[in-house]
Amino acid sequence: MSAVSLRRAARESVSGLPRAFWWLWTSTLVNRLGAFVATFMTLYLTLDRGYSASFAGLVVALHGLGGVVSSLVAGVMTDRLGRRPTLLAAQASTAFSVALLGFMEHPAAIAAVAMLVGMTSNASRPAVAAMMADIVRPEDRVRAFALNYWAINLGFAVSATAAGVIAEYSYLAGFLGEAALTLTCAVLVYVKLPESRPEGGPGSPASAGKAAAAGTTTGAEPAIGLGSVLRDGRFMSVVGLSFLISLIFTQGSVGLPVAMGAAGFSPGDYGLVVAVNGLLIVLLQIPVTAFIERRDPQKLLVVSALLAGYGFALTAFAGPVWAYALTVCVWTLAEIVNSPTQMGLVVRLSPVHGRGRYQGVYNLSWAVASLVAPLMAGFVIDRYGADWLWGATGVLGTVAAAGYWLLMRNLSEGDAGTGAAVAVGGGAPAPRSKPLPADAEA
C-alpha cells in the first residue's frame, strides 16, 4: 500500500464518527495504558512470589470466573440502568480492587481479590460495546470497532513495555499505576459521555409510560431476557466459536509468559515480545480495516482462525527472543482481522433494545476462556510441557475455522440467500455517508 493510499485509508477510517465515540475511544486508550494485572499476573505469581504454574493458573482462572459472573450481570445493568452508570460503577470499582490486590500477601487473599478484579474489570465491556453500537451508524460500525481495538492495542503497546521494566523493580507500582489510570477513565466517563441507551425499549421510562397510558403491562418492544439470548441459536453459535478463538488468544497472556519464564527469559523479555502484538496492531489496524470492509466476512473469519491457531503453534519452534516475536506477528494479524469482523457480526445479530444482554453473553465467551485457558495452560505445561500446549492451539484454530465456515454459510442461506443480515464488511464496500457534525447527538 502506497503512502497516499495509507493516508487516504487513515482519513476515511476516522471521518464521520460522532464526538461521543471519540470520548469513549479516549477512555479506552487511557484504560489500556494502565493494563498491568492481566498481562503480568502469571509472572508476578511465579517469579516474584515463587508459586507454581498451576497455582498461577488457578488464580488467573479465578480472575476469569469473576468475569463470567460480571459479564451477565453487567449486560443486564447496561440495558436496565444505562450504559453510563454501568461504566462508572465498573471502572471505579476496578481501580479500588486493583490497588487492593497489590497489597495482598496470603495466597487465599490474592486469589479472592484476583476474582474481584476479574468481576469489576470485565463489567465495563458490555456497556462499552453497547454504547458504541448506539452512537455509531451501522455502516460505520466495523471501522468504529476497529478503531477502538486500535486504541486498546496502542495503550497495550506502550504499557506492556513500560510495565515489563516496572515489574523488574516493583510489581506494586504496576498495580497502583493501573488503579490510577482506571480511576481517570471513570472521571472521563462521568464528565464527557452522555447516556446513549435507546428510548422506548423494554424497561425504559418511555416504554413504561406508554404502557401505563395504554393500560397495558408491556411496552412497544417485546421484553428481552437472558433466556431469549440463550435460545438464539445462531447467535450462540457465534459465542461458541468466539470461545474457541478466545482460548487461543488468551495464551498470549497466560501460556506464553509461563513458557518464556520456564525457558529462562526475564519479564522484560516477555514485555518486549508481547509489545510486538500491540505495536503491529497500531501500525496495521487502519490499512487492514480498509481492506476487510470490502471482503467476505466468512473468509476473513476462517483465515483469522487458522492464523491464530497456527501462529501460536509455531511457538513450539521458537528459541531466541526474536523467534518468539515472529510468532507473535502471525497471530497478531489474526487479531487484527478477527476482532472488528466478529464484533460487527455480533451487533448485527443483536436487537437494539437487547444490546446490553447480547453483549454480556458474547463477552461471556471471553470470560469463560479466561477461566479455562489458565487452567489448561498450567496443567498442560506442568504435566506435558509447553510444546503440547502450542500443538493444542493449532487444533483449536482448525476447529474454529471449520465452525466459522459452516456458520456463515448457514447464515447466508437463512437470510434470503443474500447474507445481508450478516454482511459485516463483506462484498461491496458500504457507502460513505457525510460526516456528522462534531457535536452530533449520541
Side-chain angles (χ1 to χ4, degrees):
M1 180 176 285
S2 67
V4 174
S5 299
L6 184 60
R7 285 195 297 270
R8 182 170 61 250
R11 188 164 54 249
E12 291 178 351
S13 294
V14 301
S15 65
L17 295 170
R19 175 179 293 179
F21 166 81
W22 290 111
W23 283 118
L24 187 62
W25 183 91
T26 302
S27 72
T28 298
L29 176 62
V30 174
N31 185 276
R32 292 304 296 173
L33 283 171
F36 183 86
V37 172
T39 305
F40 286 89
M41 176 68 81
T42 52
L43 288 176
Y44 169 64
L45 294 173
T46 56
L47 297 184
D48 188 67
R49 291 303 182 95
Y51 295 116
S52 68
S54 295
F55 178 78
L58 174 62
V59 172
V60 178
L62 288 173
H63 181 277
L65 179 60
V68 171
V69 176
S70 68
S71 291
L72 297 178
V73 175
V76 175
M77 288 175 59
T78 297
D79 283 338
R80 288 190 176 180
L81 302 181
R83 284 59 160 140
R84 187 168 176 258
T86 304
L87 275 172
L88 282 170
Q91 293 177 341
S93 56
T94 298
F96 169 77
S97 59
V98 167
L100 182 63
L101 180 61
F103 293 99
M104 294 298 98
E105 297 288 341
H106 193 278
I110 292 174
V113 177
M115 183 174 176
L116 179 62
V117 172
M119 292 179 64
T120 56
S121 61
N122 281 279
S124 62
R125 292 183 180 181
V128 169
M131 180 175 279
M132 198 170 299
D134 294 338
I135 64 181
V136 176
R137 295 168 300 200
E139 64 268 26
D140 294 331
R141 284 178 187 150
V142 169
R143 63 191 179 100
F145 283 118
L147 285 168
N148 191 65
Y149 196 63
W150 186 76
I152 290 172
N153 286 278
L154 176 60
F156 180 75
V158 175
S159 67
T161 304
V165 175
I166 292 172
E168 294 187 358
Y169 295 95
S170 172
Y171 280 91
L172 177 60
F175 288 120
L176 295 179
E178 177 170 349
L181 285 172
T182 305
L183 189 59
T184 301
C185 285
V187 174
L188 189 63
V189 167
Y190 178 78
V191 173
K192 292 296 185 180
L193 283 175
E195 179 55 59
S196 67
R197 183 175 58 160
E199 293 294 332
S204 70
S207 177
K210 291 177 183 178
T216 63
T217 58
T218 60
E221 298 287 340
I224 298 173
L226 286 176
S228 303
V229 183
L230 297 176
R231 289 191 296 271
D232 188 337
R234 62 183 185 176
F235 178 78
M236 291 307 298
S237 296
V238 175
V239 173
L241 292 171
S242 174
F243 169 70
L244 295 181
I245 292 294
S246 304
L247 278 179
I248 299 172
F249 284 131
T250 305
Q251 298 308 326
S253 60
V254 293
L256 185 59
V258 172
M260 290 188 66
F265 294 102
S266 69
D269 292 329
Y270 169 70
L272 289 174
V273 167
V274 79
V276 172
N277 171 255
L279 179 62
L280 284 179
I281 292 174
V282 169
L283 294 175
L284 299 179
Q285 186 71 71
I286 290 177
V288 171
T289 297
F291 176 84
I292 66 176
E293 282 187 307
R294 296 165 172 80
R295 297 298 185 272
D296 178 7
Q298 180 191 50
K299 294 178 181 178
L300 294 174
L301 291 170
V302 169
V303 170
S304 65
L306 292 173
L307 285 175
Y310 290 102
F312 273 97
L314 288 173
T315 310
F317 303 99
V321 170
W322 64 263
Y324 282 97
L326 284 179
T327 67
V328 172
C329 293
V330 178
W331 54 262
T332 295
L333 182 58
E335 279 193 84
I336 292 172
V337 174
N338 182 273
S339 180
T341 306
Q342 183 161 258
M343 284 299 297
L345 174 60
V346 168
V347 172
R348 295 276 180 145
L349 295 177
S350 305
V352 171
H353 297 296
R355 280 176 179 156
R357 289 175 173 84
Y358 270 73
Q359 289 292 341
V361 173
Y362 170 70
N363 280 285
L364 189 64
S365 65
W366 285 90
V368 174
S370 296
L371 170 64
V372 175
L375 297 175
M376 180 179 78
F379 174 80
V380 173
I381 291 175
D382 282 347
R383 183 67 61 89
Y384 303 107
D387 288 353
W388 282 87
L389 176 66
W390 308 131
T393 62
V395 174
L396 289 174
T398 303
V399 173
Y404 278 126
W405 183 79
L406 291 172
L407 171 68
M408 298 300 288
R409 186 185 65 173
N410 292 337
L411 282 175
S412 297
E413 291 171 353
D415 290 307
T418 64
V422 294
V424 296
R432 294 285 188 193
S433 52
K434 294 181 179 179
L436 290 175
D439 57 348
E441 182 179 349

